[in-house]
Amino acid sequence: MKNLITSFTRFVQESKALLHLTIPIIFTQLATQAMGFVDTTMAGQVSPADLAAIALGASLWVPVSLLLRGIIMALTPVVAYHRGANNPDNIRIEFIQMLWISAFCSAILMAYLISGEWILTKIGVAEEIIPIASQYVIALAYGVPGIALFYTLNGFCEGMNNTRAPMFISVVGLLLNIPTNYVLIYGKLGFPAMGAVGSGWATSLVYWVMSGLLWSYIRYHHHYKRVLNFSDIKPRLNAIKQLLSLGVPIGMNIAVCGSIFAVIALLIGRIGAENVAAEQIALNISSMTYMIPMSISFGITIRVGHSLGAQKNTQAKEQSLFGIITAGLISLLSVAIFLLFPEQIIRLYTQDPVVSATAATLLVFTAMYQFSDALQTSANGALRGYKDTKVPMLLAILAYWGLALPLGIVLGMTDMIAPQWERKAFWIGIVTGLSVAAIAMLLRLWYVIATRNRILENEVNLPAIN
């Protein structure tokens, strides 16, 4: 009983420390994600076609934006390392090289989004959605450099142990996004009513403003003046290669998780606007709640990494376990809300009875995978702390692309196993894939910890060499 009480006390202490670290990150993630929620809810009041257009536009944008974000995330640990070594020159060099990477990636993504109409046509999306969706992603394309710049500045701030400034500016961006959406979607103050396309322009404008605000804060903050000396801004290929070698695996892992939902949205797009609209509601809600375990996973990575660096292996193991439990318990709150208040949630998005009925069904499936999603995300965060990233990436690919998507296609678009279940089949695939991913990530974490402990024990027991 005494050991149980002691373990519970340590769990409470670790949960408090973890949440204290991640709460600013959670607010930043939720604020930026809430901008998508605002876009979806406000455009959804125009028509199901506008709501479906945002769903398809997001399906094109979200996977590549996750890849972009993951690549830029490499800046945070690099800056943190040089900050700990009190080396401002290296901070400046890495920061400038990431700006070059962001600019290069932005040019590629802009060309990709401008080709949105051609991509949607080739996929075979319902014709009535394509014009709005293609114009929506073109509007987003003009905001890509601003989005990439904000990610870069945010990564710099986190590396400098400053998470409050990005959080504050993200909240400002969210508050600015609401009136901007209102003006451009519904046509106020002399602007034409652009529907979903207006929300794309609003997103681009707001991110440019957010980047400008955060840049001004960093540029003129007295703590950063000796760090950010822009006398030498030339690209350095070796530094760029090192940043990419660290960031691309992170980006691939994050993109794999998010892209499965985007691909499923595109496949459901063949069924019609109402089904896509309902699916977008469920995915948007799920994306909002996912920001919490994802942020917690970032905190787990930091705490586990710090403990391992200090050679506190038992503490790192406990932090991994307690962090996963914390994320799992918090996810149960999302499950309860989805199951108890589905009508109230859906009403925020649409009043259309057909879309609402379909979305209510999908919300049940969304509730089903919240717990497993939290477990696999937090376990992945612990694995990053152990510097194990390649195998988790492969496990994610197998679970999502090797199981979830094929299972959804077989059940939803063929009669191989049973009569076509259409949209429900894809969500059954998601639930199955995430459950398998959670088990695989937990087993991988157990293996990594056990292997590390075994190696350390062998090193301790090695005989001395005379």
Side-chain angles (χ1 to χ4, degrees), residues 256-270:
V256 163
C257 296
S259 61
I260 184 68
F261 295 97
V263 171
I264 287 174
L266 292 173
L267 291 173
I268 293 178
R270 295 170 175 263

Side-chain angles (χ1 to χ4, degrees), residues 26 32 62 86 93 120 149 153 168 187 200 249 307 350 376 417 427 435 454:
I26 291 174
T32 53
V62 168
N86 193 26
I93 291 171
L120 293 173
L149 178 58
L153 298 173
F168 176 77
S307 294
T350 183
Q376 69 90 15
I417 299 177
W427 290 82
S435 299
R454 186 164 55 250

Side-chain angles (χ1 to χ4, degrees), residues 41-43 45-46 181-188 191-195:
T41 53
M42 295 184 74
Q45 305 302 322
V46 178
N181 263 332
Y182 178 75
V183 170
L184 298 180
I185 290 176
Y186 303 119
K188 306 297 181 180
F191 287 89
M194 292 184 280

